[in-house]
Amino acid sequence: SAVISQKPSRDICQRGTSLTIQCQVDSQVTMMFWYRQQPGQSLTLIATANQGSEATYESGFVIDKFPISRPNLTFSTLTVSNMSPEDSSIYLCSVFGRDSNTEAFFGQGTRLTVV
Amino acid sequence: DAKTTQPPSMDCAEGRAANLPCNHSTISGNEYVYWYRQIHSQGPQYIIHGLKNNETNEMASLIITEDRKSSTLILPHATLRDTAVYYCIVRATSYDKVIFGPGTSLSVIP
């Protein structure tokens, strides 16, 4: 299994500002994934973060808006830049288990409200 | 394009079996069927997965049709705590990304 801690758990931010979300895993993992879940919607994959290389972004997401860092095998950050109310969502971090890529584990998410 | 199709919502009486269907008619030979659920305000939770044989664990059973074009997740005795959105996902095992569809919102009714 993998235990994921996300910080902050929630935040209310002013439009035009940026928020950095942290994801800490209790074991070393190769890939970390960042998702967005807009109100009432399913999860949408933003990007895949590998240690030592640039993140790979999904269609519709760009690095300037969602820069990602992956400084080591247990930690990653996602920044939501120049926020607008449309960025109000839950942002979740996910990893595969240490011993298997069968099961994905998710953090509890960061609930972001942009006002 | 979505790889799976699920009904948007279902109801189930408490104590009865909940049978959640999923269509995956374009599934490839090396792709597994995975089920996750998301209880309100929590991160998704893995339930079960299978390739072509039926699978059972402490949470649920997974029945996959012989042609592998559809499957059913069975919660044998649904409780109120099983109220959640259930996601059926197909993916290969080699670090393939987990892509979520809309899922089925299951309401367990007292």
Side-chain angles (χ1 to χ4, degrees):
Chain A
S1 67
V3 178
I4 301 173
S5 300
Q6 274 188 243
K7 291 181 181 179
S9 59
R10 59 178 62 229
D11 207 342
I12 300 173
C13 300
Q14 297 291 323
R15 66 178 67 200
T17 63
S18 298
L19 176 71
T20 296
I21 302 167
Q22 299 179 3
C23 178
Q24 179 75 52
V25 189
D26 69 340
S27 58
Q28 294 183 340
V29 294
T30 304
M31 293 185 292
M32 298 178 77
F33 304 89
W34 286 99
Y35 290 84
R36 179 178 73 182
Q37 187 169 30
Q38 294 175 301
Q41 303 296 313
S42 180
L43 287 81
T44 301
L45 181 63
I46 297 172
T48 302
N50 292 323
Q51 194 267 335
S53 63
E54 287 218 354
T56 302
Y57 289 82
E58 298 296 310
S59 175
F61 297 95
V62 295
I63 188 172
D64 290 345
K65 177 66 176 178
F66 298 100
I68 290 172
S69 76
R70 183 77 200 276
N72 58 52
L73 291 174
T74 63
F75 187 78
S76 177
T77 67
L78 169 76
T79 298
V80 186
S81 303
N82 188 25
M83 289 184 286
S84 68
E86 292 71 35
D87 294 319
S88 297
S89 296
I90 299 173
Y91 293 86
L92 298 104
C93 172
S94 174
V95 302
F96 291 121
R98 176 177 56 192
D99 299 324
S100 168
N101 61 339
T102 296
E103 180 178 351
F105 296 88
F106 291 81
Q108 290 303 297
T110 296
R111 185 179 295 272
L112 171 62
T113 301
V114 183
V115 297
Chain B
D1 290 341
K3 289 188 173 183
T4 64
T5 304
Q6 299 177 251
S9 64
M10 292 182 64
D11 291 338
C12 177
E14 187 179 17
R16 304 295 296 270
N19 297 283
L20 293 94
C22 179
N23 288 320
H24 32 78
S25 58
T26 61
I27 191 170
S28 301
N30 67 336
E31 288 183 316
Y32 285 65
V33 180
Y34 286 77
W35 284 83
Y36 285 79
R37 74 179 182 183
Q38 185 177 26
I39 296 171
H40 183 61
S41 297
Q42 299 184 19
Q45 174 192 24
Y46 165 84
I47 301 172
I48 197 168
H49 76 285
L51 182 63
K52 54 184 177 181
N53 298 320
N54 298 337
E55 302 288 342
T56 296
N57 62 21
E58 64 279 4
M59 290 182 66
S61 295
L62 174 60
I63 308 298
I64 303 174
T65 59
E66 190 169 346
D67 63 7
R68 303 211 321 127
K69 292 185 177 181
S70 65
S71 61
T72 301
L73 178 75
I74 301 173
L75 307 178
H77 305 288
T79 71
L80 299 179
R81 290 190 298 271
D82 292 321
T83 293
V85 178
Y86 288 78
Y87 298 99
C88 171
I89 296 162
V90 297
R91 61 181 283 264
T93 58
S94 55
Y95 291 99
D96 202 12
K97 298 173 286 190
V98 180
I99 304 298
F100 290 84
T104 296
S105 178
L106 174 69
S107 296
V108 180
I109 301 168

